[in-house]
């Protein structure tokens, strides 16, 4: 094993089949295969930005699982605690690409290896030193929705992080195909109360806080902060992002102009940028700028991870170059 990770995350990694052509599932016949999974996307995003990240999870003993392990390892993510489960398959998902309206996503993840993540997996990683030099734990609201054992694994990871003084972030990532708002709200609110940074879009913030999506941004940020974290962050899409810190200061950042090719994965890229900038102790406004740039980069490529920028690409984006080509 190489240097111990700065950031630990855990969850389910899937094989993602993204439509090669724009159109509904009923008409699309060709798909490209990619690696997906919110927490794994964040780990890859951090690795590209020069931060050591580890991913705790399970994949099946199948070709999809092998491709995921190889891909994450190739990106520099520590996969020492990514277990190959001989008794369950790797989860898969299929995604449309739409020019108008939201794209449909179909999952085949019930009973998957990833959904069998358990506290034993987290404890084993901790015993092997996964948390020893870590500074940050990143969680999402997807993993606790997968199964009772996955939810317990998230709680276990939080326990390890809190005992060691790690900063903990939660991306709400509400997935209504996995659970209802009524089921999700108490679980996610309980997690938020134990985290330092909570991030979500307007719809997710409203669902967890009980506010209306039409509520002002300031009210939604207050609602997130009211759950217990030190910092609340709202991802505002084309309007950029806003955050409220422990001092009661609200800051915002505009989005980069981009014509999205594939909107999925933008939130994970945003989180990777925000965490990287936080580890570098940058001001909150700069953290939002970097996070927004990473999100914009992600939607400009097809697949969850293809558009995640490295440091050179991020610097170019932040410089705001108007040239069509670098010659």
């Amino acid at each position: 094993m190489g240097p111990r990770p700065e950031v630990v995350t855990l969850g389910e990694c899937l094989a993602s089949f993204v439509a090669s052509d724009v159109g509904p599932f009923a008409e699309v016949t060709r798909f490209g295969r990619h690696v997906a999974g919110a927490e794994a996307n964040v780990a890859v995003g951090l690795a590209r930005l020069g931060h050591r990240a580890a991913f705790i999870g399970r994949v099946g003993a199948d070709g999809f699982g092998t491709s995921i392990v190889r891909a994450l390892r190739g990106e520099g993510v520590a996969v020492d605690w990514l277990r190959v489960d001989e008794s369950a398959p790797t989860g898969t998902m299929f995604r449309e690409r739409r020019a108008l309206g939201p794209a449909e996503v179909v999952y085949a993840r019930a009973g998957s290896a990833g959904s069998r993540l358990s506290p034993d997996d987290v404890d084993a990683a901790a015993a092997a030193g996964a948390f020893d030099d870590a500074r940050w734990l990143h969680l999402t609201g997807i993993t606790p929705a997968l199964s009772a054992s996955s939810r317990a694994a998230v709680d276990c990871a939080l326990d390890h992080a809190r005992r060691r003084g790690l900063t903990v972030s939660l991306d709400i990532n509400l997935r209504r195909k996995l659970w209802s708002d009524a089921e999700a709200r108490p679980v996610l609110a309980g997690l938020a109360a134990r985290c330092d940074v909570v991030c979500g879009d307007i719809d997710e913030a409203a669902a967890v806080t009980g506010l209306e999506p039409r509520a002002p941004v300031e009210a939604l940020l207050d609602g997130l902060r009211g759950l217990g974290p030190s910092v609340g962050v709202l991802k505002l899409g084309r309007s950029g992002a806003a955050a409220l810190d422990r001092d009661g200061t609200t800051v915002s950042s505009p989005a980069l102009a981009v014509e999205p090719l594939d909107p999925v994965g933008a939130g994970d890229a945003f989180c990777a940028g925000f965490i990287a900038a936080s580890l570098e102790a940058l001001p909150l406004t700069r953290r939002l700028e970097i996070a927004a740039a990473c999100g914009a980069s992600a939607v400009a490529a097809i697949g969850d991870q293809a558009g995640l920028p490295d440091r050179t690409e991020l610097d170019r984006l932040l410089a705001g170059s108007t040239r069509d080509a670098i010659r």
Side-chain angles (χ1 to χ4, degrees), residues 202-269:
I202 286 176
D203 178 57
E204 292 166 340
V208 174
T209 62
L211 297 169
E212 289 293 324
R214 296 184 299 274
V217 166
E218 293 77 11
L220 290 168
L221 286 170
D222 279 334
L224 288 179
R225 276 288 315 279
L227 296 173
S230 300
V231 180
V233 182
L234 274 180
K235 296 176 283 189
L236 303 173
R238 293 181 183 273
S239 298
L244 176 63
D245 69 9
R246 60 172 57 85
D247 299 323
T249 302
T250 301
V251 300
S252 62
S253 176
L256 270 66
V258 62
E259 289 298 328
L261 290 177
D262 184 1
V264 176
D268 304 328

Side-chain angles (χ1 to χ4, degrees), residues 10 36-37 56 59 65 74 85 87-88 91 99 102 128 154 199-200 203 235 245 253 256 258 295 325:
L10 69 160
I56 302 171
V59 293
D85 190 327
S87 58
V154 169
C199 180
D203 178 57
K235 296 176 283 189
D245 69 9
S253 176
L256 270 66
V258 62

Side-chain angles (χ1 to χ4, degrees), residues 56 72 83 163 194 199 240:
I56 302 171
L72 295 187
R83 174 181 169 186
R163 286 198 294 270
R194 301 178 65 193
C199 180

Side-chain angles (χ1 to χ4, degrees), residues 145 174-188 207:
L174 181 61
R175 294 291 185 267
R176 291 186 171 95
K177 286 196 173 185
L178 297 177
W179 55 359
S180 67
D181 286 20
E183 293 172 304
R185 181 175 296 137
V187 175
L188 296 178

Side-chain angles (χ1 to χ4, degrees), residues 51 135-136 167 197 272-282 284 287:
H51 291 279
R135 300 167 58 194
W136 198 289
T167 299
V197 179
F274 188 89
I275 294 169
S278 299
L279 292 169
E280 294 156 21
L282 297 178
L284 185 55
R287 298 180 201 184

Side-chain angles (χ1 to χ4, degrees), residues 121-132:
D121 297 313
V122 179
D123 286 337
F131 294 88
D132 287 358

